[in-house]
């Protein structure tokens, strides 16, 4: 009998070694999927090599009745997971302070974890049969038509070495043709017999990118990987990639763990997007793991963005990443002219009337846009009709009984809905506290903006005499399957004149007839407690502006309007001239003076409990333990341990949330502390009964 090291899904707090010992009648190569007994359960596992696993905890004497158990079976139908995949998983587990098996099993398709070898073999036979039935003829000798390359695109393609590893930052303005660069790089990888992995931040960007790639590579097999797929679809696509049947894999952050037998290229589009950071379980950054994977696989990595994250920009400035710039739009398209409206100078609303949704200059520009037969996009990153309802008599507001947040008024179905815990109630007929019938909405969401714009545009007609048509795209209007694709198709077909939406319409979409984009109320994001707020607002506004003027035929009319009460803010000054480098350099100077990332490295310990005192007590004890560990290890001078504080929304679904920040100028020092400190959290939790959950978040995306 062979003794094997098996990674199984056990949480880090269980105190077990990274892998467990099992017996097998035959030698199994590392990476083989198996089913093994664990307690009274039969669970999936992965054969691991000792050298690939994380360092085990302090050895403990086995119990007297200890016996190594045999595996249940090996999933021999499936090729073993490659060594580079195992090293990627092991690094993720170590860096983000999770158990090896937890990461390894969680990134596999859920359906795969349920199957035995017979069930898997049946799936593979069915997949092979379908692939043979739908096999396309070999690619034609003549490639599909391709647009001519601009000089900047040619320079970028010439700078990417497909034969070795290097990380490239492709900093291209919106509409500069970054997608065409991705297509040409994928073409080079496929020509060399390799596979390409292309990642996007959000599910709604996958279908249009998939359509572009399918049109360019008609004889190749493309698969997508994202959470909107059914379990059966996700398994089929994952198997096609792992077995080398898929040439191109398109996906969201979970695609970074997709095993590829012939990797040749990794692309991370919109690399700045916070959606690449996982927010539960192993809180990994898919962008950072993509860079690490490129080094493991020795393949080029391309990070693309018009507004790179400051961490990535800094890496390019110091030479760790190669900076590739595309400053001009394709086809002589011009970047929109940015116009800032000082809302302090606009007329005040008449007493008893709600504030105007659009200032007079913006309304005039919008009407002119419609009269020319062009389209407009109005951006407001707040869905619902109004953020809160208020009683005019006693001041009651529509707070959530389970969260420290307001319930949002949704007029279409007359509900008050909490966007944190999903608690929903019908709008009361009268104030619950005093019985007053006069309950008014405060503030404005996309639903209200759509209604107000429709009223403002009554009588405004298109060139053909038809009335202007207003549509809305946000999470409420795209809940049903296919709804987003249907609405986007209507915009592309010209059936919509004014599109109202949240930030989901500002990313990656190629609206050819949009010439006017307006940020209706961006000021709320300027003054939040998160130090990354200005960076994210600038990126959002730059991306929104990029939807205008993408067609050279209408680019001369392209405008970006910003309604703000803070027109003198430096962020808007940089935005006026589309100068990302100026804004980034300014932000980096501020970050360096304040000792913030990328000049420092952070970890956040989060705790939740029914009682806030319990969560705070747990974090205070954890802080004292971290201080003691730092002193014992000689790291006290290189670490800052902050006191526990509540986050912006301190209570969610009845759970009180608190967080504690750990900071160090050295990533290595921070990691040296986190490993032993995290191992002590389970014991601390036992001493503080009432802790519902705790988690260590390395490199947190928001604070």
């Amino acid at each position: 009998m062979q003794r094997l090291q098996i990674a199984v899904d056990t949480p880090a707090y269980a105190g077990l070694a990274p892998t467990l010992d099992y017996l097998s009648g035959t030698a199994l190569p590392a990476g083989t999927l198996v089913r093994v007994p664990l307690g009274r359960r039969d669970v999936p596992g992965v054969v691991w090599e000792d050298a690939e696993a994380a360092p085990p905890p302090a050895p403990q004497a086995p119990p007297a009745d200890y016996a190594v158990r045999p595996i249940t079976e090996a999933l021999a139908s499936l090729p073993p997971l490659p060594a580079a995949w195992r090293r990627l998983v092991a690094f993720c587990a170590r860096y983000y302070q999770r158990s090896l098996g937890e990461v390894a099993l969680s990134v596999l398709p859920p359906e795969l974890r349920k199957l035995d070898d017979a069930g898997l073999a049946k799936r593979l036979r069915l997949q092979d049969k379908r692939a043979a039935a739908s096999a396309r003829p070999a690619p034609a000798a003549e490639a599909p038509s391709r647009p001519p390359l601009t000089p900047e695109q040619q320079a970028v393609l010439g700078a990417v070495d497909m034969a070795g590893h290097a990380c490239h930052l492709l900093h291209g303005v919106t509409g500069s043709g970054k997608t065409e660069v991705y297509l040409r790089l994928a073409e080079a990888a496929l020509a060399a017999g390799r596979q390409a992995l292309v990642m996007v931040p959000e599910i709604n960007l996958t279908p249009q990118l998939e359509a572009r790639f399918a049109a360019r590579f008609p004889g190749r097999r493309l698969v997508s990987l994202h959470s909107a797929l059914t379990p059966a679809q996700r398994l089929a696509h994952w198997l096609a990639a792992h077995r080398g049947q898929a040439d191109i894999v398109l996906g969201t952050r979970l695609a970074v763990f997709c095993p590829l037998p012939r990797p040749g290229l990794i692309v991370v589009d919109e690399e700045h997007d916070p959606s690449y950071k996982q927010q539960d379980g192993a809180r990994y950054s898919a962008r950072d793991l993509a860079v690490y994977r490129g080094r493991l696989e020795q393949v080029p990595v391309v990070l693309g963005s018009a507004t790179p994250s400051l961490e990535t920009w800094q890496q390019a400035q110091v030479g760790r990443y190669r900076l590739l710039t595309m400053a001009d739009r394709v086809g002589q398209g011009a970047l929109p002219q940015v116009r800032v409206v000082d809302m302090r100078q606009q007329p005040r609303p008449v007493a008893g009337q709600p504030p105007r949704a659009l200032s007079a200059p913006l309304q005039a520009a919008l009407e002119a846009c419609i009269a020319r037969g062009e389209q407009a996009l109005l951006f407001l990153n707040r869905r619902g009709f109004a953020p809160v309802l208020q009683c005019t008599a006693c001041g009651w507001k529509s707070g959530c009984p389970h969260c420290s947040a307001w319930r949002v008024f949704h007029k279409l179905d007359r509900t008050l809905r909490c966007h944190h815990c999903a608690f929903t109630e019908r709008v009361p007929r009268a104030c619950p506290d005093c019985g007053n019938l006069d309950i008014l909405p405060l503030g404005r969401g996309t639903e209200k903006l759509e209604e107000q714009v429709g009223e403002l545009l009554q009588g405004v007609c298109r060139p053909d005499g038809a009335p202007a048509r207003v549509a809305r795209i946000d999470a409420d209007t795209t809940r049903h399957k296919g709804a987003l694709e249907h609405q986007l198709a209507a915009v592309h077909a010209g059936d919509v004149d004014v599109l109202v939406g949240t930030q989901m319409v500002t990313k990656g979409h190629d609206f050819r007839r949009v010439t006017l984009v307006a940020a209706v109320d961006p000021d709320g994001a300027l003054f939040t407690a998160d130090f990354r707020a200005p960076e994210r607002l600038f990126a959002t506004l730059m991306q929104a502006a990029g939807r205008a003027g993408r067609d050279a035929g209408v680019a001369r009319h392209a405008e970006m309007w910003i309604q703000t009460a803070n027109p003198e803010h430096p962020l808007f000054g940089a935005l006026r001239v589309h100068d990302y480098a100026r804004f980034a350099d300014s932000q980096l100077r501020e970050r360096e003076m304040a000792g913030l990332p990328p000049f420092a490295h952070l970890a956040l310990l989060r705790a939740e409990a029914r009682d806030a005192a319990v969560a705070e007590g747990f974090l205070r004890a954890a802080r004292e333990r971290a201080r003691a560990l730092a002193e014992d290890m000689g790291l006290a001078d290189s670490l800052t341990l902050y006191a526990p504080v509540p986050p912006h929304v301190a209570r969610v679904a009845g759970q009180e949330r608190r967080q504690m920040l750990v900071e160090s100028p050295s990533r290595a020092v921070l990691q040296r502390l986190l490993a032993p400190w995290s191992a002590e959290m389970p014991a601390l939790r036992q001493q503080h009964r009432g802790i519902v959950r705790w988690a260590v978040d390395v490199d947190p995306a928001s604070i």
Side-chain angles (χ1 to χ4, degrees):
M1 298 288 283
Q2 303 283 329
R3 184 179 290 238
L4 301 176
Q5 303 293 315
I6 308 292
V8 296
D9 188 358
T10 56
Y13 59 76
L16 299 175
T19 58
L20 302 180
D21 289 352
Y22 287 91
L23 297 177
S24 171
T26 59
L28 297 175
T32 302
L33 266 67
V34 294
R35 298 201 69 84
V36 298
L38 184 66
R40 298 181 179 180
R41 298 179 296 144
D42 187 67
V43 300
V46 182
V47 178
W48 222 268
E49 294 177 357
D50 287 339
E52 297 172 335
Q60 299 178 358
D65 58 349
Y66 172 78
V68 180
R69 304 169 72 180
I71 67 170
T72 304
E73 68 170 337
L75 277 64
S77 306
L78 192 69
L81 294 160
W85 181 90
R86 300 193 301 275
R87 290 196 294 270
L88 177 68
V89 166
F91 169 79
C92 179
R94 286 194 306 271
Y95 186 80
Y96 293 104
Q97 305 302 315
R98 310 299 292 193
S99 74
L100 178 67
E102 180 186 6
V103 176
L105 276 300
S106 67
V107 300
L108 296 177
E111 198 78 357
L112 179 63
R113 302 198 295 265
K114 301 176 184 177
L115 295 175
D116 57 14
D117 191 47
L120 178 59
K122 183 178 179 181
R123 294 285 186 104
L124 293 176
R125 287 194 298 270
L126 181 61
Q127 186 178 48
D128 291 341
K129 184 177 180 180
R130 288 175 176 172
S134 61
R136 299 176 179 177
E142 201 170 311
S145 60
R146 302 180 300 177
L149 294 173
T150 66
E152 288 182 331
Q153 288 174 325
Q154 292 175 344
V156 166
L157 291 170
V160 178
D161 179 12
M162 298 297 294
H165 166 261
C167 186
H168 308 80
L169 170 58
L170 177 54
H171 177 219
V173 299
T174 53
S176 60
K178 293 188 291 294
T179 303
E180 181 62 29
V181 171
Y182 304 155
L183 289 165
R184 298 294 182 104
L185 291 174
E187 182 180 321
L190 299 184
R194 301 295 193 93
Q195 296 167 290
L197 171 62
V198 181
M199 296 168 58
V200 293
E202 294 187 3
I203 294 171
N204 63 59
L205 297 178
T206 307
Q208 63 177 16
L209 191 64
E210 190 172 1
R212 291 279 304 268
F213 273 82
R216 181 62 61 88
F217 304 107
R220 302 287 190 168
R221 184 172 181 187
L222 283 73
V223 296
S224 58
L225 285 173
H226 51 77
S227 58
L229 299 173
T230 65
Q233 288 174 326
R234 182 174 167 186
L235 175 59
H237 293 184
W238 186 92
L239 290 172
H242 175 51
R243 300 170 73 201
Q245 297 171 338
D247 299 300
I248 301 172
V249 178
L250 308 176
T252 52
R253 61 176 176 263
L254 60 85
V256 74
F257 291 104
C258 180
L260 302 173
R262 314 183 310 275
L265 172 70
I266 299 175
V267 172
V268 183
D269 191 26
E270 308 292 358
E271 65 83 26
H272 66 276
D273 199 291
S275 299
Y276 282 119
K277 185 75 160 73
Q278 178 77 7
Q279 295 301 321
D280 54 21
R283 290 169 162 81
Y284 62 85
S285 165
R287 177 201 63 205
D288 296 344
L289 289 181
V291 174
Y292 185 81
R293 182 174 183 177
R295 188 162 75 244
L296 287 176
E297 307 268 21
Q298 286 297 296
V299 299
V301 177
V302 177
L303 309 177
S305 178
T307 54
S309 68
L310 292 182
E311 288 83 357
T312 300
W313 184 257
Q314 173 68 4
Q315 295 280 43
Q317 296 302 303
V318 299
R320 291 193 183 95
Y321 298 169
R322 185 169 185 181
L323 179 60
L324 308 174
T325 303
M326 297 197 303
D328 299 321
R329 281 187 157 181
V330 173
Q332 299 179 342
L335 290 168
Q337 183 176 359
V338 178
R339 303 183 185 277
V340 178
V341 179
D342 187 351
M343 298 303 288
R344 298 170 302 185
Q345 305 300 323
Q346 297 302 306
R348 298 283 181 181
V350 179
Q353 295 296 319
R356 289 174 56 97
L358 307 181
S359 60
L362 175 55
Q363 182 178 345
L366 181 61
E367 293 175 356
C369 173
I370 296 170
R372 294 193 300 267
E374 297 162 0
Q375 294 173 311
L377 189 156
L378 304 182
F379 162 63
L380 177 62
N381 204 28
R382 189 185 305 119
R383 62 189 177 99
F385 188 86
V388 64
L389 287 185
Q390 181 182 28
C391 172
T392 57
C394 70
W396 169 88
K397 294 184 178 66
S398 56
C400 176
H402 310 296
C403 307
S404 54
W406 306 116
R407 281 179 294 165
V408 177
F409 172 42
H410 291 259
K411 186 177 180 180
L412 189 63
D413 56 5
R414 302 291 299 176
T415 60
L416 292 173
R417 195 181 310 162
C418 177
H419 290 175
H420 297 277
C421 72
F423 177 69
T424 303
E425 283 185 331
R426 299 287 297 176
V427 174
R429 294 181 178 273
C431 173
D433 287 354
C434 71
N436 176 37
L437 297 176
D438 193 9
I439 305 177
L440 297 179
L442 294 180
R444 179 187 299 112
T446 49
E447 191 179 349
K448 183 175 183 179
L449 180 60
E450 178 190 24
E451 180 181 290
Q452 290 179 316
V453 170
E455 293 171 355
L456 288 174
L457 296 181
Q458 287 183 357
V460 177
C461 297
R462 296 150 42 101
D464 59 4
R469 294 162 294 188
V470 182
R472 171 168 55 96
I473 293 181
D474 56 25
D476 296 321
T477 63
T478 57
R479 281 181 295 177
H480 302 296
K481 187 174 182 179
L484 177 62
E485 290 79 2
H486 175 75
Q487 290 179 306
L488 289 175
V491 177
H492 288 296
D495 297 333
V496 174
D497 301 299
V498 180
L499 176 62
V500 174
T502 55
Q503 65 178 7
M504 66 188 299
V505 300
T506 67
K507 304 175 184 177
H509 299 291
D510 189 15
F511 300 131
R512 307 302 295 177
R513 294 177 56 201
V514 169
T515 59
L516 186 149
V517 173
V520 175
D521 183 18
D523 284 356
L526 272 180
F527 305 107
T528 66
D530 193 340
F531 67 89
R532 287 191 173 94
E535 175 188 359
R536 289 184 179 155
L537 178 60
F538 187 87
T540 299
L541 295 179
M542 280 279 282
Q543 292 290 332
R547 301 315 106 204
R550 298 176 74 90
D551 190 315
V554 295
R556 66 184 183 278
H557 299 145
E559 295 178 321
M560 168 68 176
W561 288 76
I562 299 172
Q563 296 188 152
T564 175
N566 302 276
E568 67 284 348
H569 197 285
L571 184 150
F572 298 128
L575 193 66
R576 278 191 176 98
V577 292
H578 302 279
D579 193 347
Y580 169 81
R582 167 182 159 188
F583 171 78
D585 292 343
S586 171
Q587 284 289 298
L588 285 173
R589 286 193 297 271
E590 290 183 12
R591 298 268 188 98
E592 187 171 18
M593 288 187 292
L596 293 170
F599 304 100
H601 305 280
L602 308 178
L604 206 60
L605 176 60
R606 307 178 193 268
E608 296 182 22
R610 289 282 180 183
D611 186 350
V614 173
E616 290 180 7
F618 171 77
L619 292 179
R620 281 195 297 269
R623 183 189 185 200
E624 291 305 313
R625 190 65 199 120
R627 181 177 286 118
L629 282 171
E631 291 175 355
D632 291 344
M633 301 169 70
L635 305 177
D637 293 339
S638 302
L639 289 162
T640 303
L641 307 172
Y642 292 90
V645 294
H648 176 63
V649 181
R651 188 176 79 255
V652 173
Q655 302 294 336
E656 294 289 343
R657 308 192 302 169
R658 296 296 185 268
Q659 59 189 25
M660 175 202 146
L661 184 65
V662 182
E663 178 185 285
S664 174
S666 167
R667 191 189 304 272
V669 167
L670 183 62
Q671 284 290 315
R672 283 183 61 193
L673 172 73
L674 291 180
W677 189 46
S678 298
E680 296 193 12
M681 290 302 117
L684 278 180
R685 180 181 183 179
Q686 292 299 320
Q687 298 170 16
H688 295 79
R689 298 299 178 125
I691 293 294
V692 176
R693 62 181 64 90
W694 63 271
V696 175
D697 188 355
V698 183
D699 300 334
S702 60
I703 300 176

